[in-house]
Amino acid sequence: MTATCERIGGRRVLFVMAVEAEYGPHLRARFSPLLTGVGPVEAALVTGMALQELARQDGLPDLVACLGSAGSRLCPLGDIFQISSVSWRDMDASRLGFTKGVTPFIDHPVDLPLATPLALPLARLSTGANIVGGEEYTAIDADMVDMETFAVARACSRFDVPLMGLRGVSDGPGELDHIDSWTALLGLLDERLATAVDLLPDALGSIASAA
């Protein structure tokens, strides 16, 4: 899908999502996202290619907004959170003396801070290539889990574009044993994420006015 920036609050915003299933009628009425596919490899590849093309056209966004669902055993089901920071739970080169979560020979913190322009509850997010369930949550140092945001953040950092994250809790309590366990709340999250997106014009407009 071609990357198209929306003009919001005087800023160019690129919305990034993983799959069509999370992109319901309420969000469809507001923007056209870049759909990356599932997981950190697809997210990094598609986002990086899109930003490279936008840079070639001298049209990089002022902000990338990565949004969709997430799992959590700490945050209530159905609630929407703005992501304060994101980490990469798959990266572990600690046997060689590197800090767990940090890519060897690349200078980034364990928790990458994200832009938080909205007056919404904040949460720390962990990205990885696995579907998390059950007691696996106890080993993860974050409030929520997803499969794309850290990869999108790394792509954005290469082009010096700020990233904000919006995630709704689709699953976590109980066992996640079928795709229906994930999709059951996507309709509600679509509506609530759209309400959060509606806060962007005033927030970004205030930033633009102050700049």
Side-chain angles (χ1 to χ4, degrees), residues 11-97:
R11 299 297 182 98
R12 296 188 305 275
V13 180
L14 176 65
F15 290 93
V16 177
M17 303 185 72
V19 290
E20 290 273 359
E22 297 175 311
Y23 183 46
H26 295 279
L27 293 175
R28 288 176 186 273
R30 288 160 172 81
F31 61 79
S32 297
L34 174 71
L35 294 175
T36 66
V38 174
V41 172
E42 301 305 315
L45 178 66
V46 173
T47 305
M49 291 175 63
L51 291 176
Q52 178 64 49
E53 178 59 22
L54 289 171
R56 188 186 67 81
Q57 300 171 6
D58 197 25
L60 278 171
D62 299 302
L63 177 72
V64 171
C66 183
L67 65 163
S69 62
S72 179
R73 283 197 164 179
L74 299 175
C75 303
L77 283 171
D79 282 7
I80 305 300
F81 292 84
Q82 188 173 205
I83 305 306
S84 59
S85 66
V86 62
S87 57
W88 188 11
R89 63 181 177 271
D90 295 335
M91 177 52 68
D92 186 358
S94 57
R95 288 180 181 272
L96 300 181

Side-chain angles (χ1 to χ4, degrees), residues 54-196:
L54 289 171
R56 188 186 67 81
Q57 300 171 6
D58 197 25
L60 278 171
D62 299 302
L63 177 72
V64 171
C66 183
L67 65 163
S69 62
S72 179
R73 283 197 164 179
L74 299 175
C75 303
L77 283 171
D79 282 7
I80 305 300
F81 292 84
Q82 188 173 205
I83 305 306
S84 59
S85 66
V86 62
S87 57
W88 188 11
R89 63 181 177 271
D90 295 335
M91 177 52 68
D92 186 358
S94 57
R95 288 180 181 272
L96 300 181
F98 296 97
T99 301
K100 187 179 187 299
V102 175
T103 307
F105 313 115
I106 295 179
D107 185 20
H108 70 76
V110 173
D111 292 287
L112 295 179
L114 302 189
T116 54
L118 303 180
L120 290 174
L122 300 176
R124 294 170 60 234
L125 180 65
S126 167
T127 293
N130 64 314
I131 301 291
V132 177
E135 294 307 310
E136 293 170 340
Y137 278 101
T138 61
I140 297 172
D141 181 20
D143 304 310
M144 312 173 77
V145 297
D146 84 334
M147 301 178 74
E148 294 85 26
T149 302
F150 185 91
V152 174
R154 290 293 296 135
C156 287
S157 69
R158 289 297 182 97
F159 293 89
D160 198 26
V161 174
L163 171 69
M164 69 168 290
L166 290 173
R167 291 282 158 176
V169 183
S170 58
D171 55 86
E175 287 299 326
L176 186 62
D177 54 9
H178 191 274
I179 193 169
D180 292 344
S181 304
W182 167 59
T183 59
L185 289 181
L186 293 187
L188 174 64
L189 297 185
D190 170 58
E191 183 175 355
R192 291 182 174 180
L193 283 168
T195 299

